[in-house]
Amino acid sequence: MADVLDTRRFRPSTEAALMSLAVTVCYYAAGRLGLMGRLVVEGVVVTPIWPPTGVAVAALLLLGARVWPGIALGSFLVIASLTAPGPTTVVTVVSNTVAPLCALLLLRRAGFRRDMARLRDGLSLVFLGGFGAMLISATAGVGLQVAKGSLDKSEFWPAWLAWWVGDTMGVVLVAPLLLVLAGPAGRFRLRRWKEAAFLGLTTLVLMPMAVLNPMSMLFLVFPLLIWAALRFQLAGSMLCALFASVLTTFEATSGRGAFLHLTDVEIMAKLQAFNGSAALTALLLASVITEQRATRRSVRRACQELAEVLEHLAAGEPSPGPPGTAESRAAPPGGHRDS
């Protein structure tokens, strides 16, 4: 019996350790992918999209706060892959861990639902989990550069803005997609799969044309985002937005297409404006559509139930209801009902 009790006691800690290890692997992999699109702003290396923040927030929402060691270890490994760890590494690791934890607390306080079936869930993720919580990591990261003298005080705000937007875009673009994929998968009818394939093919053709064109035709992306949000909600819109943002980021880092002949600051400003607009359009519009569809389903169920009640009343029968309700107690005297 003692062995059984010990096994049950250590099982939760083992499960938490394995989940934290999985989070570490995902965080590190996302970090390496994010570093492929890095830019240098005022002497500081920043990424227009930092996917690890989205991975961290989604992991905390799905698995709970117990996986925070995986976020900390993943952040340390990403930093160690760039430079030799030092005393300042601790500050960066702590800020990269505390920011997603604050996002988790703020979202729980706001009543956030992981299915994101309401507009308030999308707004909460953007403004609390993204814009709000990521202030911590951006301020600590850039402030550390100023404190150790590698960044001048006059360069603080441009570098801070780039860092903050990059972390926020990671939350807004990556976290919703992971939450949707982790939820119950919807079943599409055959005609929906055909439409999804046509949308994907159109996206693969039109988006590179819009991004690679030196005439700056990035606005052509937004009809695709609207189409995906209207027909496939979060799963479709966030996939399109993420693909557009990643493709645009790689073109911006190479200075081609719509970012030709621009300075580093101009590239970062234009890229951040596009990524932010695409992410907010996809996320908020999909949330609105999802909420409206859920409302219509609720109204349809209520109308069906009301129709059933009216049919029973018209036939002189008591309305159906669970045992013990007022309808089930409304029997004629003597306990007999009309057949």
Side-chain angles (χ1 to χ4, degrees):
M1 179 63 69
D3 294 338
V4 174
L5 292 177
D6 289 340
T7 302
R8 291 178 179 177
R9 183 182 305 170
F10 288 109
R11 186 178 299 170
S13 60
T14 303
E15 182 181 357
L18 292 176
M19 288 189 297
S20 297
L21 183 60
V23 172
T24 298
V25 174
C26 294
Y27 191 102
Y28 179 77
R32 297 304 302 174
L33 290 175
L35 289 173
M36 295 174 64
R38 56 188 173 185
L39 291 171
V40 179
V41 178
E42 301 294 345
V44 178
V45 177
V46 295
T47 55
I49 305 173
W50 186 235
T53 56
V55 172
V57 172
L60 291 173
L61 289 171
L62 293 171
L63 305 176
R66 57 180 175 174
V67 299
W68 70 265
I71 299 173
L73 181 57
S75 176
F76 174 80
L77 293 177
V78 172
I79 297 173
S81 66
L82 295 175
T83 182
T88 58
T89 305
V90 178
V91 178
T92 305
V93 170
V94 170
S95 65
N96 289 341
T97 306
V98 171
L101 285 172
C102 287
L104 173 66
L105 296 177
L106 290 173
L107 291 174
R108 284 181 175 177
R109 186 88 177 208
F112 178 81
R113 295 181 184 175
R114 293 181 300 182
D115 58 3
M116 300 186 65
R118 304 173 300 173
L119 176 60
R120 61 176 294 182
D121 297 326
L123 293 173
S124 298
L125 184 65
V126 172
F127 292 101
L128 297 180
F131 291 149
M134 296 305 118
L135 292 171
I136 299 173
S137 56
T139 303
V142 181
L144 184 63
Q145 300 291 330
V146 174
K148 67 179 185 179
S150 59
L151 187 67
D152 190 75
K153 292 182 179 180
S154 61
E155 300 170 340
F156 174 84
W157 289 113
W160 179 89
L161 181 62
W163 192 310
W164 176 58
V165 174
D167 285 357
T168 301
M169 288 301 100
V171 175
V172 175
L173 285 170
V174 178
L177 185 59
L178 294 178
L179 293 176
V180 170
L181 294 178
R187 295 181 179 178
F188 292 144
R189 294 185 293 272
L190 179 60
R191 63 182 182 87
R192 297 297 302 278
W193 282 114
K194 291 181 179 179
E195 183 181 359
F198 182 66
L199 173 61
L201 181 62
T202 306
T203 301
L204 291 175
V205 173
L206 187 58
M207 281 192 179
M209 292 176 55
V211 174
L212 297 175
N213 196 318
M215 298 176 62
S216 186
M217 303 178 68
L218 296 176
F219 57 86
L220 293 177
V221 172
F222 290 93
L224 294 176
L225 297 178
I226 296 173
W227 178 11
L230 290 174
R231 300 296 294 164
F232 302 101
Q233 288 78 58
L234 281 169
S237 63
M238 296 314 300
L239 275 174
C240 284
L242 183 60
F243 176 70
S245 297
V246 170
L247 180 62
T248 307
T249 298
F250 280 112
E251 291 304 312
T253 54
S254 60
R256 298 181 301 179
F259 302 90
L260 190 64
H261 305 309
L262 298 179
T263 65
D264 291 339
V265 176
E266 290 173 342
I267 289 175
M268 194 66 185
K270 186 174 183 177
L271 180 60
Q272 288 173 341
F274 172 78
N275 287 343
S277 300
L280 292 178
T281 299
L283 177 58
L284 298 183
L285 181 59
S287 297
V288 170
I289 299 301
T290 303
E291 185 175 22
Q292 288 181 347
R293 291 196 172 190
T295 302
R296 285 200 297 268
R297 286 194 295 267
S298 299
V299 173
R300 191 179 299 114
R301 285 195 299 266
C303 291
Q304 291 174 353
E305 293 174 359
L306 180 60
E308 293 176 359
V309 172
L310 293 176
E311 289 177 0
H312 284 279
L313 291 177
E317 300 178 356
S319 60
T325 60
E327 292 81 3
S328 63
R329 293 195 300 267
H336 300 286
R337 300 179 184 269
D338 297 332
S339 56

